[in-house]
């Protein structure tokens, strides 16, 4: 019922950015209600939760006894899946690495020759040329042109045979996906110390 002196608002005015303000679902986006994900969408955007996650990352870093840093390290990430490529780049830049990325072995080899990274992290299974083709091209270069650059095969191919093939083709490490951020950073750090 309308209060005296106030007009009833049309229902359309009660919707704000897809949020329905009525009944027991007040404030829950329609898509979330339909999928049964009440409140999860907003949880991801909560600055307090983001700060908690940042503190958890710092806590995990401190558990290793020292803070691993990739400051000044140039990493070439080769991954055909865009989301995975972006995630890897974000993970590494959080530790101070400078990241170049490529979606194919062909683009990666061009970037490699142009920028001479400190480390290469490459997926194996890619269309056209795969990670094995890429590492063979890199290993075919002279030392001065980066032929001995440390490389990590980061791949979904996780059998013992796949690992052996990666190492035999020229990668120093073979790491199966998915990978924890700290594990990847430690692997890079260990390669650079050798």
């Amino acid at each position: 019922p309308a209060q005296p002196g106030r007009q009833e608002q049309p229902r359309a005015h009660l919707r704000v950015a897809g949020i329905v303000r009525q009944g027991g679902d007040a404030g829950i986006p329609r898509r979330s209600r339909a999928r049964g994900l009440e409140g999860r969408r907003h949880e991801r955007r909560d600055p307090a939760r983001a700060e908690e996650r940042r503190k958890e990352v710092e806590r995990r870093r401190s558990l290793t006894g020292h803070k691993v840093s990739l400051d000044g390290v140039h990493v070439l990430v080769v991954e055909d899946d865009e989301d995975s490529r972006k995630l890897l780049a974000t993970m590494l830049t959080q530790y101070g690495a400078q990241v170049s990325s490529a979606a194919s072995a062909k683009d990666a080899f061009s970037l490699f020759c142009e920028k001479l990274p400190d480390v290469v992290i490459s997926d194996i299974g890619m269309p056209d040329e795969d990670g094995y083709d890429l590492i063979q091209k890199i290993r075919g270069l002279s030392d001065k042109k980066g032929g001995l650059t440390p490389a990590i095969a980061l791949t979904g191919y996780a059998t013992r045979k796949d690992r052996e093939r990666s190492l035999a083709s020229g990668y120093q490490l073979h790491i199966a996906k998915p990978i924890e951020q700290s594990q990847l950073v430690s692997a890079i750090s260990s390669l650079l110390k050798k």
Side-chain angles (χ1 to χ4, degrees):
Q3 295 177 354
R6 278 189 112 183
Q7 289 185 342
E8 182 118 5
Q9 294 280 329
R11 186 179 179 124
H13 289 135
L14 296 176
R15 294 182 187 171
V16 178
I19 298 174
V20 179
R21 304 215 180 263
Q22 63 181 20
D25 292 332
I28 299 170
R30 285 179 171 209
R31 276 181 262 146
S32 294
R33 280 197 326 266
R35 294 182 187 148
L37 303 175
E38 291 82 5
R40 288 186 191 169
R41 183 172 179 204
H42 295 290
E43 183 179 291
R44 288 187 207 134
R45 295 181 183 171
D46 182 9
R49 297 247 327 143
E51 181 63 19
E52 284 176 28
R53 284 191 299 272
R54 188 191 64 73
K55 286 180 181 177
E56 177 63 16
V57 167
E58 290 298 321
R59 185 188 70 75
R60 287 182 183 173
R61 284 183 189 172
S62 68
L63 291 177
T64 62
H66 64 284
K67 207 173 193 179
V68 177
S69 174
L70 297 177
D71 290 337
V73 176
H74 181 205
V75 180
L76 174 59
V77 172
V78 187
E79 171 63 65
D80 61 325
D81 180 71
E82 183 179 5
D83 291 335
S84 296
R85 193 171 56 248
K86 287 179 179 179
L87 177 64
L88 287 167
T90 300
M91 287 168 50
L92 296 170
T93 54
Q94 288 177 347
Y95 277 82
Q98 176 190 350
V99 179
S100 298
S101 58
S104 69
K106 182 180 177 182
D107 293 344
F109 189 69
S110 296
L111 266 175
F112 181 89
C113 292
E114 179 185 322
K115 298 192 176 196
L116 287 178
D118 300 307
V119 178
V120 175
I121 299 173
S122 179
D123 187 16
I124 296 295
M126 295 182 284
D128 301 322
E129 295 179 35
D130 61 19
Y132 298 123
D133 296 327
L134 173 62
I135 198 64
Q136 288 174 358
K137 286 182 178 180
I138 291 172
R139 296 298 176 240
L141 297 171
S142 69
D143 297 354
K144 287 184 180 181
K145 292 188 177 183
L148 296 177
T149 301
I152 299 171
L154 182 61
T155 179
Y157 301 120
T159 67
R160 187 184 65 170
K161 203 172 194 178
D162 293 322
R163 182 180 186 284
E164 290 169 358
R165 183 174 178 201
S166 294
L167 298 176
S169 67
Y171 288 98
Q172 280 74 27
L173 292 174
H174 177 274
I175 301 173
K177 294 177 183 176
I179 186 170
E180 291 287 325
Q181 181 178 26
S182 58
Q183 182 186 6
L184 180 60
V185 171
S186 295
I188 294 168
S189 181
S190 71
L191 274 182
L192 294 173
K193 288 178 184 175
K194 290 181 179 180

